[in-house]
Amino acid sequence: MFETKPDIAGRTEIETLVNTFYDRIRTDEVLGFIFNEVAQTNWTTHLPKMYAFWETVLFRTGGFTGNPIAAHAKLVSQTPMGRAQFDHWLQLFRSTVDDLFAGERAEHIKSCAADMANVIYARINQVPDPRFDPANVTPEQRARYARYQQPAA
Ligand code: HEM
């Protein structure tokens, strides 16, 4: 018998994903203290902000208007925010998605998270964006970037 998981259909699934992810983050031994102690996150406001963020990413609705680069740049002087922290964040995000959902949007949200983790990591640490390291560009990214480079009609 195999179990079939639903895909992410809309706001309801996004809320479930975000709630489950941050339940895990809060008690995570690597990242928990960054929220609980360093940023002293107000979960009552942070969770709805994250519902809006992911709804905006996935469905272009949700009305997210924050500034993720600034929010994470602020943390750099207070706590390590290096590749190890971002890789751990991503691992936790991917496994949370996989525990709950399966399908096209589940795959899409994981790849958006990976792209954004790369951008945020690179910007706040002032290192070159790893997406643009030719050694790491996937065939899918190569095709997508080639389309951007075509002159506008
Ligand atoms: C090392 C990894 C990460 C850590 C430790 C971290 C931690 C934090 C903290 C402490 C905040 C502020 C919460 C508050 O208001 O108290 C925050 C905000 C936020 N984070 Fe992260 N984060 C990480 C990675 C990511 C990634 C990869 C994404 C996107 C895929 C992301 C998306 C956001 C967004 C959208 C906000 C709200 C920004 C705003 O207020 O405008 N975070 N994060």
Side-chain angles (χ1 to χ4, degrees), residues 116-128:
M116 268 175 297
N118 282 339
V119 172
I120 297 170
Y121 162 76
R123 289 284 300 279
I124 69 177
N125 291 291
Q126 271 121 50
V127 301

Side-chain angles (χ1 to χ4, degrees), residues 5 16 30 38:
K5 290 180 182 144
T16 302
V30 177
V38 178

